[in-house]
Amino acid sequence: MPHPLTKFELHENAEPLACWNIATIAIKQANAREILGQPHYIETDPQRTAGGTEDHWSFYSPKGIPAFFRMRVPYGTMDFCLTQQPIHVDDEKWLTELFYGFQIEIFANPIDENRHPNDVE
């Protein structure tokens, strides 16, 4: 039985979370919404999205950690982010089952979403 999609919500006074971009999925918006449901948030500010819109969802992964999906609508790609890295085998299995038949690229080196790419570590 597949892991249920249980919505994750950040509480008002919560500490900032780590956010590691673990993978990208080649998918169309309609397919993403069919699998994940209606977005929990839609970003429409083109200054925040580098053009276009983004659909966002947040759920708990099978390992019980927050998992974020960001659909970059005009590009036909969706980012998969976790609050820890590397991806656990249970979470990778969940991801591939959710998006069976879609091309998924799991990054060898996850990207820290809280750091600008040009920042020195």
Side-chain angles (χ1 to χ4, degrees):
M1 180 172 165
H3 177 74
L5 291 175
T6 304
K7 186 177 179 180
F8 167 78
E9 293 185 73
L10 203 60
H11 298 289
E12 189 174 311
N13 295 321
E15 293 290 321
L17 295 174
C19 187
W20 294 96
N21 191 336
I22 302 289
T24 188
I25 305 156
I27 191 167
K28 294 182 190 283
Q29 182 183 39
N31 297 115
R33 287 182 174 194
E34 183 179 311
I35 294 166
L36 300 175
Q38 288 300 309
H40 300 154
Y41 172 75
I42 299 173
E43 180 60 70
T44 59
D45 182 348
Q47 293 183 4
R48 293 182 183 186
T49 65
T53 62
E54 293 177 350
D55 292 351
H56 294 254
W57 297 263
S58 56
F59 299 103
Y60 285 100
S61 79
K63 295 303 291 175
I65 61 172
F68 308 104
F69 296 90
R70 176 179 52 215
M71 177 73 212
R72 297 172 186 251
V73 177
Y75 306 108
T77 61
M78 184 164 50
D79 295 323
F80 174 67
C81 301
L82 293 171
T83 57
Q84 66 185 39
Q85 53 140 352
I87 188 170
H88 187 276
V89 66
D90 292 344
D91 292 334
E92 185 173 342
K93 181 179 180 219
W94 174 58
L95 184 65
T96 57
E97 287 175 353
L98 268 175
F99 297 98
Y100 179 79
F102 293 93
Q103 181 183 0
I104 301 171
E105 177 187 357
I106 296 177
F107 303 133
N109 297 307
I111 301 161
D112 185 348
E113 289 284 320
N114 291 329
R115 180 182 298 275
H116 188 278
N118 295 333
D119 285 351
V120 178
E121 290 191 35

